[in-house]
PDB file of all heavy atoms in Angstrom:
ATOM      1  N   LEU A  30      96.445  83.535 112.180  1.00 98.00           N
ATOM      2  CA  LEU A  30      96.857  82.331 111.460  1.00 98.00           C
ATOM      3  C   LEU A  30      97.125  81.169 112.422  1.00 98.00           C
ATOM      4  O   LEU A  30      96.928  80.008 112.059  1.00 98.00           O
ATOM      5  CB  LEU A  30      98.060  82.620 110.568  1.00 98.00           C
ATOM      6  CG  LEU A  30      97.777  83.616 109.417  1.00 98.00           C
ATOM      7  CD1 LEU A  30      99.005  83.788 108.526  1.00 98.00           C
ATOM      8  CD2 LEU A  30      96.587  83.193 108.578  1.00 98.00           C
ATOM      9  N   ARG A  40     104.614  85.730 108.342  1.00 98.00           N
ATOM     10  CA  ARG A  40     103.237  85.719 107.839  1.00 98.00           C
ATOM     11  C   ARG A  40     102.365  86.625 108.704  1.00 98.00           C
ATOM     12  O   ARG A  40     102.466  86.567 109.932  1.00 98.00           O
ATOM     13  CB  ARG A  40     102.649  84.307 107.881  1.00 98.00           C
ATOM     14  CG  ARG A  40     103.338  83.345 106.938  1.00 98.00           C
ATOM     15  CD  ARG A  40     102.802  81.945 107.145  1.00 98.00           C
ATOM     16  NE  ARG A  40     103.387  81.013 106.198  1.00 98.00           N
ATOM     17  CZ  ARG A  40     103.188  79.698 106.238  1.00 98.00           C
ATOM     18  NH1 ARG A  40     102.430  79.169 107.182  1.00 98.00           N
ATOM     19  NH2 ARG A  40     103.746  78.916 105.327  1.00 98.00           N
ATOM     20  N   VAL A  41     101.488  87.401 108.088  1.00 97.00           N
ATOM     21  CA  VAL A  41     100.630  88.331 108.840  1.00 97.00           C
ATOM     22  C   VAL A  41      99.195  87.793 108.837  1.00 97.00           C
ATOM     23  O   VAL A  41      98.760  87.157 107.871  1.00 97.00           O
ATOM     24  CB  VAL A  41     100.707  89.750 108.218  1.00 97.00           C
ATOM     25  CG1 VAL A  41      99.749  90.713 108.927  1.00 97.00           C
ATOM     26  CG2 VAL A  41     102.142  90.287 108.287  1.00 97.00           C
ATOM     27  N   TYR A  42      98.489  88.049 109.918  1.00 97.00           N
ATOM     28  CA  TYR A  42      97.095  87.605 110.108  1.00 97.00           C
ATOM     29  C   TYR A  42      96.156  88.169 109.033  1.00 97.00           C
ATOM     30  O   TYR A  42      96.501  89.096 108.309  1.00 97.00           O
ATOM     31  CB  TYR A  42      96.604  88.047 111.493  1.00 97.00           C
ATOM     32  CG  TYR A  42      96.728  89.536 111.715  1.00 97.00           C
ATOM     33  CD1 TYR A  42      95.744  90.411 111.281  1.00 97.00           C
ATOM     34  CD2 TYR A  42      97.871  90.080 112.330  1.00 97.00           C
ATOM     35  CE1 TYR A  42      95.872  91.783 111.453  1.00 97.00           C
ATOM     36  CE2 TYR A  42      97.999  91.444 112.514  1.00 97.00           C
ATOM     37  CZ  TYR A  42      96.999  92.293 112.069  1.00 97.00           C
ATOM     38  OH  TYR A  42      97.127  93.645 112.224  1.00 97.00           O
ATOM     39  N   TYR A  43      94.929  87.621 108.999  1.00 97.00           N
ATOM     40  CA  TYR A  43      93.932  88.149 108.079  1.00 97.00           C
ATOM     41  C   TYR A  43      93.136  89.281 108.720  1.00 97.00           C
ATOM     42  O   TYR A  43      92.539  89.115 109.792  1.00 97.00           O
ATOM     43  CB  TYR A  43      92.931  87.059 107.624  1.00 97.00           C
ATOM     44  CG  TYR A  43      91.780  87.689 106.869  1.00 97.00           C
ATOM     45  CD1 TYR A  43      91.971  88.159 105.571  1.00 97.00           C
ATOM     46  CD2 TYR A  43      90.534  87.898 107.464  1.00 97.00           C
ATOM     47  CE1 TYR A  43      90.954  88.799 104.874  1.00 97.00           C
ATOM     48  CE2 TYR A  43      89.506  88.537 106.780  1.00 97.00           C
ATOM     49  CZ  TYR A  43      89.730  88.978 105.482  1.00 97.00           C
ATOM     50  OH  TYR A  43      88.728  89.637 104.801  1.00 97.00           O
ATOM     51  N   ALA A  44      93.137  90.417 108.057  1.00 94.00           N
ATOM     52  CA  ALA A  44      92.236  91.526 108.385  1.00 94.00           C
ATOM     53  C   ALA A  44      92.029  92.267 107.078  1.00 94.00           C
ATOM     54  O   ALA A  44      93.001  92.522 106.351  1.00 94.00           O
ATOM     55  CB  ALA A  44      92.846  92.446 109.430  1.00 94.00           C
ATOM     56  N   ALA A  45      90.787  92.579 106.762  1.00 95.00           N
ATOM     57  CA  ALA A  45      90.496  93.127 105.432  1.00 95.00           C
ATOM     58  C   ALA A  45      90.846  94.608 105.328  1.00 95.00           C
ATOM     59  O   ALA A  45      90.858  95.346 106.314  1.00 95.00           O
ATOM     60  CB  ALA A  45      89.026  92.921 105.108  1.00 95.00           C
ATOM     61  N   LEU A  46      91.082  95.020 104.107  1.00 93.00           N
ATOM     62  CA  LEU A  46      91.348  96.421 103.784  1.00 93.00           C
ATOM     63  C   LEU A  46      90.091  97.259 104.023  1.00 93.00           C
ATOM     64  O   LEU A  46      88.974  96.767 103.853  1.00 93.00           O
ATOM     65  CB  LEU A  46      91.731  96.495 102.287  1.00 93.00           C
ATOM     66  CG  LEU A  46      92.222  97.833 101.771  1.00 93.00           C
ATOM     67  CD1 LEU A  46      93.645  98.085 102.241  1.00 93.00           C
ATOM     68  CD2 LEU A  46      92.160  97.896 100.248  1.00 93.00           C
ATOM     69  N   ASP A  68      96.140  90.295  94.003  1.00 99.00           N
ATOM     70  CA  ASP A  68      96.181  90.596  95.437  1.00 99.00           C
ATOM     71  C   ASP A  68      97.011  89.490  96.094  1.00 99.00           C
ATOM     72  O   ASP A  68      96.591  88.330  96.144  1.00 99.00           O
ATOM     73  CB  ASP A  68      94.755  90.635  96.007  1.00 99.00           C
ATOM     74  CG  ASP A  68      94.750  90.973  97.504  1.00 99.00           C
ATOM     75  OD1 ASP A  68      95.835  91.273  98.051  1.00 99.00           O
ATOM     76  OD2 ASP A  68      93.659  90.933  98.118  1.00 99.00           O
ATOM     77  N   GLY A  70      98.071  87.628  99.067  1.00 98.00           N
ATOM     78  CA  GLY A  70      97.497  87.453 100.403  1.00 98.00           C
ATOM     79  C   GLY A  70      96.068  87.967 100.374  1.00 98.00           C
ATOM     80  O   GLY A  70      95.735  88.967 101.013  1.00 98.00           O
ATOM     81  N   SER A  71      95.190  87.274  99.621  1.00 98.00           N
ATOM     82  CA  SER A  71      93.875  87.846  99.297  1.00 98.00           C
ATOM     83  C   SER A  71      92.802  87.559 100.348  1.00 98.00           C
ATOM     84  O   SER A  71      91.700  88.118 100.274  1.00 98.00           O
ATOM     85  CB  SER A  71      93.414  87.354  97.926  1.00 98.00           C
ATOM     86  OG  SER A  71      93.669  85.976  97.771  1.00 98.00           O
ATOM     87  N   GLY A  72      93.097  86.675 101.314  1.00 98.00           N
ATOM     88  CA  GLY A  72      92.177  86.459 102.433  1.00 98.00           C
ATOM     89  C   GLY A  72      90.775  86.087 101.987  1.00 98.00           C
ATOM     90  O   GLY A  72      90.574  85.203 101.155  1.00 98.00           O
ATOM     91  N   VAL A  76      89.271  92.711  98.628  1.00 98.00           N
ATOM     92  CA  VAL A  76      89.927  93.514  97.587  1.00 98.00           C
ATOM     93  C   VAL A  76      89.603  92.948  96.195  1.00 98.00           C
ATOM     94  O   VAL A  76      89.462  93.699  95.222  1.00 98.00           O
ATOM     95  CB  VAL A  76      91.452  93.560  97.841  1.00 98.00           C
ATOM     96  CG1 VAL A  76      92.193  94.199  96.693  1.00 98.00           C
ATOM     97  CG2 VAL A  76      91.726  94.320  99.142  1.00 98.00           C
ATOM     98  N   GLU A  92      96.253  83.210  98.174  1.00 98.00           N
ATOM     99  CA  GLU A  92      96.057  83.195  99.625  1.00 98.00           C
ATOM    100  C   GLU A  92      96.539  81.870 100.222  1.00 98.00           C
ATOM    101  O   GLU A  92      96.217  80.803  99.711  1.00 98.00           O
ATOM    102  CB  GLU A  92      94.557  83.423  99.934  1.00 98.00           C
ATOM    103  CG  GLU A  92      94.107  83.114 101.343  1.00 98.00           C
ATOM    104  CD  GLU A  92      94.875  83.884 102.424  1.00 98.00           C
ATOM    105  OE1 GLU A  92      95.101  85.086 102.264  1.00 98.00           O
ATOM    106  OE2 GLU A  92      95.251  83.239 103.433  1.00 98.00           O
ATOM    107  N   LEU A  93      97.285  81.991 101.311  1.00 98.00           N
ATOM    108  CA  LEU A  93      97.847  80.841 102.016  1.00 98.00           C
ATOM    109  C   LEU A  93      96.773  79.845 102.477  1.00 98.00           C
ATOM    110  O   LEU A  93      96.942  78.630 102.376  1.00 98.00           O
ATOM    111  CB  LEU A  93      98.595  81.384 103.240  1.00 98.00           C
ATOM    112  CG  LEU A  93      99.313  80.421 104.142  1.00 98.00           C
ATOM    113  CD1 LEU A  93     100.469  79.769 103.402  1.00 98.00           C
ATOM    114  CD2 LEU A  93      99.843  81.166 105.377  1.00 98.00           C
ATOM    115  N   LEU A  97      90.161  80.349 103.891  1.00 98.00           N
ATOM    116  CA  LEU A  97      89.857  81.742 103.532  1.00 98.00           C
ATOM    117  C   LEU A  97      89.584  81.852 102.030  1.00 98.00           C
ATOM    118  O   LEU A  97      88.735  82.621 101.591  1.00 98.00           O
ATOM    119  CB  LEU A  97      91.003  82.675 103.941  1.00 98.00           C
ATOM    120  CG  LEU A  97      91.287  82.787 105.445  1.00 98.00           C
ATOM    121  CD1 LEU A  97      92.322  83.873 105.721  1.00 98.00           C
ATOM    122  CD2 LEU A  97      90.023  83.083 106.244  1.00 98.00           C
ATOM    123  N   SER A 122      97.432  79.089  97.931  1.00 98.00           N
ATOM    124  CA  SER A 122      98.847  78.709  97.836  1.00 98.00           C
ATOM    125  C   SER A 122      99.675  79.643  98.709  1.00 98.00           C
ATOM    126  O   SER A 122      99.335  80.817  98.874  1.00 98.00           O
ATOM    127  CB  SER A 122      99.311  78.864  96.373  1.00 98.00           C
ATOM    128  OG  SER A 122     100.714  78.787  96.278  1.00 98.00           O
ATOM    129  N   ASP A 123     100.776  79.095  99.229  1.00 98.00           N
ATOM    130  CA  ASP A 123     101.785  79.976  99.809  1.00 98.00           C
ATOM    131  C   ASP A 123     102.331  80.809  98.662  1.00 98.00           C
ATOM    132  O   ASP A 123     102.618  80.274  97.578  1.00 98.00           O
ATOM    133  CB  ASP A 123     102.902  79.117 100.433  1.00 98.00           C
ATOM    134  CG  ASP A 123     103.878  79.959 101.236  1.00 98.00           C
ATOM    135  OD1 ASP A 123     104.191  81.085 100.805  1.00 98.00           O
ATOM    136  OD2 ASP A 123     104.331  79.484 102.283  1.00 98.00           O
ATOM    137  N   VAL A 124     102.453  82.077  98.876  1.00 98.00           N
ATOM    138  CA  VAL A 124     102.928  82.955  97.799  1.00 98.00           C
ATOM    139  C   VAL A 124     104.317  82.527  97.312  1.00 98.00           C
ATOM    140  O   VAL A 124     104.671  82.742  96.152  1.00 98.00           O
ATOM    141  CB  VAL A 124     102.870  84.423  98.288  1.00 98.00           C
ATOM    142  CG1 VAL A 124     104.010  84.737  99.231  1.00 98.00           C
ATOM    143  CG2 VAL A 124     102.825  85.382  97.152  1.00 98.00           C
ATOM    144  N   ASN A 139      98.326  94.213 100.965  1.00 97.00           N
ATOM    145  CA  ASN A 139      97.849  94.876 102.181  1.00 97.00           C
ATOM    146  C   ASN A 139      98.612  94.253 103.349  1.00 97.00           C
ATOM    147  O   ASN A 139      98.089  93.373 104.035  1.00 97.00           O
ATOM    148  CB  ASN A 139      96.327  94.705 102.334  1.00 97.00           C
ATOM    149  CG  ASN A 139      95.822  95.333 103.631  1.00 97.00           C
ATOM    150  OD1 ASN A 139      96.493  96.185 104.225  1.00 97.00           O
ATOM    151  ND2 ASN A 139      94.647  94.905 104.074  1.00 97.00           N
ATOM    152  N   ASN A 140      99.846  94.662 103.507  1.00 96.00           N
ATOM    153  CA  ASN A 140     100.734  94.130 104.554  1.00 96.00           C
ATOM    154  C   ASN A 140     100.501  92.634 104.814  1.00 96.00           C
ATOM    155  O   ASN A 140     100.185  92.236 105.940  1.00 96.00           O
ATOM    156  CB  ASN A 140     100.550  94.936 105.855  1.00 96.00           C
ATOM    157  CG  ASN A 140     101.503  94.483 106.949  1.00 96.00           C
ATOM    158  OD1 ASN A 140     102.633  94.067 106.672  1.00 96.00           O
ATOM    159  ND2 ASN A 140     101.058  94.536 108.189  1.00 96.00           N
ATOM    160  N   PRO A 141     100.669  91.795 103.786  1.00 98.00           N
ATOM    161  CA  PRO A 141     100.316  90.372 103.968  1.00 98.00           C
ATOM    162  C   PRO A 141     101.416  89.547 104.612  1.00 98.00           C
ATOM    163  O   PRO A 141     101.144  88.528 105.240  1.00 98.00           O
ATOM    164  CB  PRO A 141     100.086  89.887 102.534  1.00 98.00           C
ATOM    165  CG  PRO A 141     100.944  90.792 101.684  1.00 98.00           C
ATOM    166  CD  PRO A 141     101.057  92.097 102.408  1.00 98.00           C
ATOM    167  N   PHE A 142     102.668  89.960 104.413  1.00 98.00           N
ATOM    168  CA  PHE A 142     103.810  89.229 104.974  1.00 98.00           C
ATOM    169  C   PHE A 142     104.974  90.195 105.080  1.00 98.00           C
ATOM    170  O   PHE A 142     104.968  91.266 104.474  1.00 98.00           O
ATOM    171  CB  PHE A 142     104.177  87.998 104.120  1.00 98.00           C
ATOM    172  CG  PHE A 142     103.837  88.136 102.657  1.00 98.00           C
ATOM    173  CD1 PHE A 142     104.614  88.932 101.832  1.00 98.00           C
ATOM    174  CD2 PHE A 142     102.730  87.494 102.113  1.00 98.00           C
ATOM    175  CE1 PHE A 142     104.302  89.077 100.488  1.00 98.00           C
ATOM    176  CE2 PHE A 142     102.403  87.648 100.762  1.00 98.00           C
ATOM    177  CZ  PHE A 142     103.202  88.438  99.959  1.00 98.00           C
ATOM    178  N   ILE A 146     109.822  86.772 103.222  1.00 98.00           N
ATOM    179  CA  ILE A 146     108.758  86.468 102.241  1.00 98.00           C
ATOM    180  C   ILE A 146     108.532  87.697 101.360  1.00 98.00           C
ATOM    181  O   ILE A 146     108.474  87.605 100.129  1.00 98.00           O
ATOM    182  CB  ILE A 146     107.420  86.063 102.917  1.00 98.00           C
ATOM    183  CG1 ILE A 146     107.621  84.928 103.912  1.00 98.00           C
ATOM    184  CG2 ILE A 146     106.391  85.668 101.869  1.00 98.00           C
ATOM    185  CD1 ILE A 146     106.342  84.482 104.622  1.00 98.00           C
TER     186      ILE A 146
HETATM  187  C1  SAM B 301      96.257  91.681 106.149  1.00 89.08           C
HETATM  188  S1  SAM B 301      95.468  90.319 105.301  1.00 89.08           S
HETATM  189  C2  SAM B 301      94.966  91.116 103.780  1.00 89.08           C
HETATM  190  C3  SAM B 301      93.759  90.472 103.135  1.00 89.08           C
HETATM  191  C4  SAM B 301      93.274  91.119 101.840  1.00 89.08           C
HETATM  192  N1  SAM B 301      94.349  91.356 100.907  1.00 89.08           N
HETATM  193  C5  SAM B 301      92.594  92.430 102.139  1.00 89.08           C
HETATM  194  O1  SAM B 301      93.274  93.472 102.077  1.00 89.08           O
HETATM  195  O2  SAM B 301      91.389  92.446 102.436  1.00 89.08           O
HETATM  196  C6  SAM B 301      96.923  89.367 104.847  1.00 89.08           C
HETATM  197  C7  SAM B 301      96.612  88.013 104.207  1.00 89.08           C
HETATM  198  O3  SAM B 301      97.858  87.459 103.734  1.00 89.08           O
HETATM  199  C8  SAM B 301      97.804  86.063 103.914  1.00 89.08           C
HETATM  200  N2  SAM B 301      99.180  85.524 103.924  1.00 89.08           N
HETATM  201  C9  SAM B 301     100.108  85.585 104.909  1.00 89.08           C
HETATM  202  N3  SAM B 301     101.224  84.939 104.549  1.00 89.08           N
HETATM  203  C10 SAM B 301     101.012  84.448 103.297  1.00 89.08           C
HETATM  204  C11 SAM B 301     101.791  83.667 102.393  1.00 89.08           C
HETATM  205  N4  SAM B 301     103.030  83.262 102.696  1.00 89.08           N
HETATM  206  N5  SAM B 301     101.257  83.328 101.192  1.00 89.08           N
HETATM  207  C12 SAM B 301      99.990  83.731 100.860  1.00 89.08           C
HETATM  208  N6  SAM B 301      99.209  84.468 101.682  1.00 89.08           N
HETATM  209  C13 SAM B 301      99.705  84.826 102.883  1.00 89.08           C
HETATM  210  C14 SAM B 301      97.079  85.898 105.258  1.00 89.08           C
HETATM  211  O4  SAM B 301      96.541  84.586 105.385  1.00 89.08           O
HETATM  212  C15 SAM B 301      96.014  86.987 105.152  1.00 89.08           C
HETATM  213  O5  SAM B 301      94.816  86.487 104.611  1.00 89.08           O
END
Side-chain angles (χ1 to χ4, degrees):
L30 295 183
R40 294 174 177 173
V41 176
Y42 56 84
Y43 170 74
L46 188 75
D68 181 6
S71 43
V76 172
E92 166 57 44
L93 182 66
L97 296 187
S122 168
D123 189 322
V124 76
N139 177 20
N140 183 33
F142 28 75
I146 307 180

